[in-house]
Amino acid sequence: MSTLIVPPHVPSVAEDCEQLHKAFEGWGTNERLIISILAHRNAGQRKAIRHAYAETYGKDLLKDLDKELSSDFERLVLLWTLDPPERDAVLTDEATKKWTKSNQVLVEIACTRPSKGLILVREAYHSRFKRSLEEDVAYHTTGDFRKLLLPLVSSYRYEGDEVNLRLAKSEAKILHEKIKGKHYSDDDVIRIVATRSKAQVNATLNEYKNEFGNDIIKDLEHDDDNEFLPILKATFECLVYPENYFEKVLREAINKRGTDEGALTRVVATRAEVDLKIIKDLYHKRNSVPLHRAIVKDTHGDYEKMLVALIGEDDA
């Protein structure tokens, strides 16, 4: 499911640090060398490199990268080099500070990360920003959006596969009644999406479709005037169909007039070690174009090379 390619014989951490340090020396930065190392190391290896770099040179690798690189390439390398929980903490901080009603990054992180992973994100947020994620979400959001987002970022879902089919039937009926009545932010809707396990939500949505004939996502598309609906729809998609959700984010990022580098960078950096292989295959199937070709067409330079490396297509 991961697209990350780690070579069978990885150099020592000390050697990687030395090579990265050399990449920063002289008149120009050796971006190709940086890509050849960081784009081919897993999260544990990157963490070890950061630690050893600080011990060896007395400097923060991230600060050196920030100083030497620029633009979208810099953003991608910095996000990729961060520990996954720390990366998500940075993304959630940006999403809360720049929050708009169309911003789905908080839902994306709250609903696609495993329960223990979300706890690590909250801990990383505490450590990095000296505030809680919950208090910032509560402060920066309002109304129905706060009503949904606050319990989502605070949740600790059961991760097992067991489901209660009787409960799924009853909650499918509740969801249908609330959606039919356009009570999208009803307490019961929020309770179901914010507390039930992903397996239980999936069972509920299956019962919904079996009983009422429509996928719930389709039913949520029938009210174009409601500004809360897109984020509720994204919540269901991220909980049950995360690969479909991320494929759509990539498609919209690449296919719109002018590439949305922010969305493209975020998805590649956060999913390369998780499920980007599935997302990449879905993209090819739905768009009749391999993802790496779409990226090469819409991006350029070292940013393009780093993206292509992270999706496992260095030689494409």
Side-chain angles (χ1 to χ4, degrees), residues 72 249-265 268 283 291 293-300 303 307:
D72 297 317
V249 173
L250 286 177
R251 180 175 5 113
E252 292 177 351
I254 294 171
N255 292 352
K256 63 190 333 186
R257 289 183 186 174
T259 308
D260 183 350
E261 288 87 359
L264 177 58
T265 294
V268 172
Y283 185 94
L291 178 58
R293 288 188 186 171
I295 286 174
V296 168
K297 182 180 177 182
D298 270 37
T299 62
H300 62 275
Y303 178 55
L307 287 169

Side-chain angles (χ1 to χ4, degrees), residues 153-193:
V153 301
S154 308
S155 68
Y156 184 68
R157 301 175 192 273
Y158 172 63
E159 291 283 346
D161 295 328
E162 293 84 357
V163 298
N164 183 326
L165 291 179
R166 182 178 296 179
L167 180 65
K169 288 178 183 292
S170 68
E171 294 193 333
K173 184 177 180 182
I174 290 171
L175 289 175
H176 185 260
E177 289 173 352
K178 301 304 179 184
I179 291 171
K180 186 177 180 181
K182 298 187 177 183
H183 304 303
Y184 305 118
S185 62
D186 184 89
D187 288 350
D188 279 333
V189 176
I190 303 299
R191 173 183 58 80
I192 291 167
V193 299

Side-chain angles (χ1 to χ4, degrees), residues 120-135:
L120 292 175
V121 174
R122 295 201 292 263
E123 290 176 348
Y125 197 97
H126 275 170
S127 176
R128 190 177 183 95
F129 302 111
K130 312 307 177 189
R131 304 182 305 275
S132 75
L133 173 58
E134 296 89 336
E135 70 177 293

